[in-house]
Amino acid sequence: MRVALFVPCYVDQLRPQIGLATLDFLTAAGFEVDFQEEVICCGQPFLTAGETKRAAALGARFVDAFQHVDAIVTPSGSCAATLRRHLESLVAAPAAASVAAKTFELCEFITKESACPPLSRPFPHRVGLHASCHGLRELGLGTPTETRAATRIDPARELLSRIPELEITSLDRRDECCGFGGTFSVEEAAVSTRMGLDRLEDHGRGGAEIVTSTDVSCLLHLEGLSRRRTLPFEIFHIAEILAASALGHDLRASAEPR
Amino acid sequence: MGHVDRAREFVRDESRTKWHDESLWFVRAKRDDAADTVPDWEALRDEAATIKRDALSRLPDLWRQFETAATEAGAVVHWARDAEEHNQIVLDLLEERGFRRVVKSKSMLTEECGLNPFLEARGIEIIDTDLGERIVQLRNEPPSHIVMPAIHLKRSEVGKLFEKEMGAPVGLDDPDALTALARKDLRKRFIAAEAGITGVNFAVAETGSFVVVTNEGNADLGTALPSLHIACVGLEKIIPAPSDLAPFLRLLARSATGQPISAYTSHFRGPREAEDIGSPAPAMHIVIVDNGRSDLLAQPSFRDALACIRCGACLNTCPVYRRSGGHSYGTTIPGPIGSVLEPSRDPKAHAELPHACTLCGSCTNVCPVRVPLHHQLLTWRAHLAEGGHHPTRRRVAFGLAGRLFAHPRAYEILTKAGRRVARRLPTAWLDRLTSPWTEARTLPPIPARSFREQMRARARQATKGPR
Ligand code: SF4
């Protein structure tokens, strides 16, 4: 099966190692992975800022580039959610619906295809899993605390729980928003900060050393707050942890030095 | 000053923000427990959502039916196009009778219409009898929550207020003692009142009756003593038949406070029976208010918001509301539902509100009548951008970024140059350049090579063949 890897701009620029980890993990899972340089953005920041026309233009590029692949996989739950939930209403091209339907968040895709490579290397750490709101409430990856509908598995938690010696720590509020929210993070910086710090405190109470998530943007926000206050957290994307366990990627060496 | 500034002010007091967040989270958690006690919670939400949407699709018929039935039962029905008409009707009803003392139970509609200041300016004393509303009335401020109007206040602050207003002993902060004081004070007002005003939770078309839900019984007392009962009802409050009440009454208190049912669910149909000879004959007047509701009804993207039963669950779950307080919104109705409703009245004034949201979607999930709140907030953003209500700097920034993302070459050149500069700058400078992102966050080390560049390097390695 050929899958296209979609790496959004902020991963490309600020966290290339997450893109590489995703690519390597997908390859280890037995997929042929293509990377399309032409696509930089799914349009999400534009959509949430109300700039619908620009979101639609980028959505159209996305449809164009990916209409012929079997699946599109991304290490960003919120990009996947934007495409899945909104692409069809933004882009008139007939292929939009099928592109939307075959776009997946990494863990979701691996679980759906039952294609997880052996996660054999132990990861002896206490890991706090931050639920991406868009993964959870738009893509249905897990059961939100608000709903009383039938429970759904959370692919990220499922995969992490297979890794030897990895302990998923608990949270008092297991699916509260971290406060990133795109433009919200800068326009409402004060509230955004409070929300993020509250999340980190909750992870701290649960004893997490590492905080991970399926969403890079949440993590950049949490990491920035943690760095500023020199809090004792390390922040890694889930693809990095999966690649470490499956392939022996060295988590800390993957970031290139200044 | 908009939401951004007021919210910033609010979070500055860290311990108070924490306290506010936790108080509301406690209510949200009680709501979760209450939902657990109903085996078919999600089906119940479906049922309520369906009834409301059906009712909204035939409002004129249902209200006509209501008017006929209510009139038969002896009530007088009035129609108010807007807040001014509503206030004038209420004033006329009072002045015709020479009434000057009024008690009122909780009603967000009269709050929306500014009834209190309107009547007070005309020499009429109007007393809010819901404890929370009474507290904010005495403080001369608007409610900060639609179900718990004084949730922003600590017990000690209420104690201080009562010390000043009711002669409470210094330092009193026992809730029972404070309530007892307010109760004693309110008794006098109930007895002296010549008219009682109530809101309406549900109006029933078939019977011309309506239901008022309270926890304090103040609507009952306020209408049982005076001869005149004025009920003010928003155009969206109608449901077809008495049997339709069941799902709403099961959902409302559970969603609002986590109670299985409110303490008082009072059904009214026509005026009370006449009592002693000589006392004025009891009268019931019902004022049906539009005030922008039919405009909202005409907008397919937003009409579902009229299904709202004002339970407040979306406020309690909203992580932004919990950390910015009701007053930060500057509207009658704060929180997610307020941010959906208020821009339709004045898009320019409230253009900030749909952005006071991370689109986390929790509100949509708790809403008992399935108002798609966070998607409506997203839609508002598009409408506001189109209407030219967004700040120019945002439009310009997104315009440039949009073009850049559609031109991979330019994107690559610019980002590469940007990273090179960023890697050479001292952290403090970089932080200043990237503020407000870095107002409270520190940037991670900037990578030398982007993902794209590293992919190309890998490809070059591969073509060199296996080593
Ligand atoms: S929108 Fe829904 S959750 Fe919010 S107050 Fe109305 S009914 Fe309650």
Side-chain angles (χ1 to χ4, degrees):
Chain A
M1 188 175 187
R2 288 189 83 82
V3 306
L5 172 63
F6 168 58
V7 174
C9 78
Y10 54 98
V11 177
D12 181 46
Q13 293 299 317
L14 296 171
R15 277 287 182 282
Q17 65 269 33
I18 295 173
L20 295 172
T22 308
L23 173 80
D24 294 342
F25 188 68
L26 282 168
T27 311
F31 298 102
E32 274 184 73
V33 187
D34 284 333
F35 171 65
Q36 283 266 8
E37 290 210 353
E38 296 302 298
V39 187
I40 300 165
C41 178
C42 68
Q44 172 176 215
F46 301 87
L47 182 71
T48 57
E51 301 290 328
T52 316
K53 283 202 192 89
R54 302 210 177 270
L58 291 167
R61 285 179 68 84
F62 196 94
V63 172
D64 246 16
F66 292 129
Q67 52 186 321
H68 300 301
V69 302
D70 298 327
I72 303 117
V73 180
T74 177
S76 162
S78 59
C79 294
T82 300
L83 293 159
R84 188 92 58 80
R85 298 293 300 251
H86 301 289
L87 193 60
E88 222 188 316
S89 62
L90 287 172
V91 179
S98 77
V99 169
K102 65 187 178 188
T103 302
F104 300 95
E105 181 276 320
L106 172 66
C107 300
E108 178 187 29
F109 180 71
I110 292 288
T111 315
K112 179 184 86 75
E113 294 291 323
S114 311
C116 190
L119 297 167
S120 46
R121 289 171 190 78
F123 193 83
H125 297 285
R126 290 192 304 275
V127 178
L129 176 58
H130 170 67
S132 142
C133 293
H134 293 128
L136 181 68
R137 300 196 181 85
E138 302 286 1
L139 292 177
L141 306 179
T143 315
T145 47
E146 304 94 21
T147 133
R148 294 296 173 271
T151 44
R152 295 173 121 150
I153 63 150
D154 172 2
R157 180 172 292 270
E158 224 281 301
L159 294 179
L160 285 182
S161 64
R162 293 190 204 172
I163 298 177
E165 293 176 40
L166 184 153
E167 182 196 332
I168 304 180
T169 54
S170 63
L171 284 163
D172 292 335
R173 303 184 188 174
R174 75 165 163 84
D175 58 7
E176 171 117 310
C177 176
C178 70
F180 170 69
T183 45
F184 181 87
S185 64
V186 287
E187 288 178 1
E188 291 266 8
V191 179
S192 171
T193 299
R194 187 66 260 158
M195 288 169 70
L197 290 175
D198 286 353
R199 283 298 68 225
L200 289 173
E201 272 173 34
D202 199 347
H203 280 288
R205 281 194 296 276
E209 315 156 44
I210 289 176
V211 177
T212 192
S213 175
T214 55
D215 229 312
V216 187
S217 45
C218 306
L219 291 177
L220 285 172
H221 164 62
L222 293 173
E223 183 186 23
L225 293 169
S226 175
R227 269 179 197 275
R228 173 63 56 91
R229 284 164 187 74
T230 54
L231 301 176
F233 296 106
E234 285 192 284
I235 314 277
F236 293 110
H237 187 264
I238 194 161
E240 296 175 279
I241 296 177
L242 292 172
S245 177
L247 301 157
H249 272 201
D250 183 348
L251 277 177
R252 284 161 197 96
S254 59
E256 287 188 290
R258 271 178 91 109
Chain B
M1 205 151 107
H3 183 270
V4 169
D5 297 320
R6 281 186 291 249
R8 183 175 287 277
E9 197 51 44
F10 190 88
V11 289
R12 213 187 292 282
D13 188 340
E14 214 175 286
S15 69
R16 192 181 194 93
T17 307
K18 191 143 278 192
W19 165 81
H20 191 264
D21 166 60
E22 274 162 12
S23 314
L24 286 148
W25 183 260
F26 177 75
V27 184
R28 153 74 208 273
K30 275 176 51 185
R31 171 263 174 211
D32 289 354
D33 292 345
D36 280 335
T37 64
V38 178
D40 50 358
W41 181 257
E42 298 300 330
L44 200 59
R45 288 173 73 211
D46 286 333
E47 191 185 347
T50 309
I51 294 171
K52 272 286 182 181
R53 278 157 187 73
D54 161 59
L56 289 173
S57 72
R58 50 193 181 101
L59 281 186
D61 291 346
L62 291 176
W63 278 119
R64 265 194 291 272
Q65 195 186 356
F66 177 91
E67 183 176 27
T68 310
T71 311
E72 256 164 42
V76 182
V77 174
H78 307 258
W79 300 85
R81 203 175 308 260
D82 52 27
E84 288 74 55
E85 279 191 18
H86 161 265
N87 292 348
Q88 193 60 49
I89 291 169
V90 174
L91 178 68
D92 289 348
L93 288 169
L94 297 171
E95 285 189 332
E96 274 162 23
R97 294 165 174 79
F99 289 172
R100 311 213 79 69
R101 285 189 302 273
V102 182
V103 287
K104 176 163 79 71
S105 70
K106 224 174 121 341
S107 143
M108 288 313 294
L109 174 67
T110 54
E111 198 64 47
E112 168 188 324
C113 294
L115 181 66
N116 286 19
F118 177 85
L119 292 182
E120 279 161 1
R122 284 151 187 87
I124 289 171
E125 178 196 74
I126 178 160
I127 303 291
D128 282 315
T129 56
D130 172 89
L131 179 55
E133 289 227 308
R134 182 67 184 142
I135 291 168
V136 293
Q137 183 180 35
L138 287 170
R139 284 173 56 95
N140 212 354
E141 65 183 4
S144 69
H145 188 287
I146 60 180
V147 173
M148 302 170 284
I151 191 72
H152 59 293
L153 295 173
K154 300 191 176 185
R155 277 179 302 178
S156 57
E157 290 167 309
V158 176
K160 277 214 193 75
L161 177 72
F162 282 13
E163 199 184 302
K164 192 170 99 215
E165 299 286 343
M166 297 171 196
V170 178
L172 186 71
D173 71 349
D174 173 58
D176 290 336
L178 289 170
T179 309
L181 260 179
R183 210 183 163 99
K184 219 170 111 198
D185 183 74
L186 281 171
R187 278 296 136 140
K188 296 183 292 203
R189 323 257 179 190
F190 277 122
I191 291 167
E194 296 154 316
I197 297 178
T198 67
V200 167
N201 291 92
F202 305 99
V204 183
E206 203 175 286
T207 50
S209 62
F210 58 90
V211 171
V212 182
V213 175
T214 70
N215 265 329
E216 296 166 19
N218 53 322
D220 306 79
L221 202 51
T223 53
L225 298 174
S227 60
L228 174 63
H229 177 184
I230 306 173
C232 305
V233 53
L235 206 57
E236 79 283 18
K237 296 285 182 201
I238 191 106
I239 55 172
S243 59
D244 293 324
L245 280 168
F248 293 104
L249 294 176
R250 291 180 75 197
L251 285 165
L252 179 57
R254 286 186 173 92
S255 299
T257 53
Q259 295 166 278
I261 188 122
S262 312
Y264 297 84
T265 302
S266 309
H267 298 250
F268 295 88
R269 186 163 180 269
R272 284 200 322 267
E273 268 166 40
E275 288 137 22
D276 339 317
I277 305 157
S279 62
M284 172 186 278
H285 289 258
I286 302 168
V287 190
I288 303 164
V289 187
D290 183 338
N291 204 33
R293 286 162 177 75
S294 50
D295 295 337
L296 205 62
L297 194 66
Q299 299 189 55
S301 316
F302 302 116
R303 66 181 302 179
D304 276 359
L306 289 172
C308 172
I309 56 172
R310 301 286 190 271
C311 74
C314 58
L315 281 62
N316 305 340
T317 204
C318 176
V320 179
Y321 173 86
R322 276 188 265 115
R323 291 176 186 81
S324 61
H327 291 153
S328 67
Y329 293 80
T331 51
T332 307
I333 299 181
I337 182 63
S339 299
V340 167
L341 294 173
E342 305 280 357
S344 76
R345 289 184 200 290
D346 188 347
K348 196 173 148 64
H350 302 304
E352 231 185 12
L353 294 183
H355 292 271
C357 160
T358 61
L359 300 172
C360 78
S362 185
C363 49
T364 300
N365 279 349
V366 294
C367 178
V369 288
R370 295 196 190 277
V371 176
L373 290 156
H374 75 294
H375 284 161
Q376 290 186 334
L377 290 171
L378 183 62
T379 308
W380 260 125
R381 296 181 186 188
H383 283 236
L384 292 167
E386 252 162 58
H389 298 302
H390 277 172
T392 322
R393 71 188 139 74
R394 191 194 294 158
R395 302 224 71 175
V396 171
F398 276 97
L400 290 173
R403 245 162 283 160
L404 197 62
F405 288 166
H407 293 94
R409 272 309 287 159
Y411 162 83
E412 184 120 25
I413 294 165
L414 274 175
T415 51
K416 195 168 177 175
R419 264 183 293 116
R420 188 167 302 162
V421 174
R423 282 168 61 82
R424 282 178 177 71
L425 282 180
T427 318
W429 288 30
L430 189 58
D431 279 359
R432 207 164 311 153
L433 274 175
T434 50
S435 175
W437 171 262
T438 42
E439 186 184 287
R441 309 174 189 96
T442 296
L443 286 175
I446 307 294
R449 292 178 303 164
S450 69
F451 175 75
R452 283 173 168 66
E453 290 166 61
Q454 298 193 45
M455 284 298 284
R456 268 177 237 137
R458 274 192 179 195
R460 280 194 298 276
Q461 284 283 341
T463 51
K464 274 188 207 149
R467 276 167 291 179

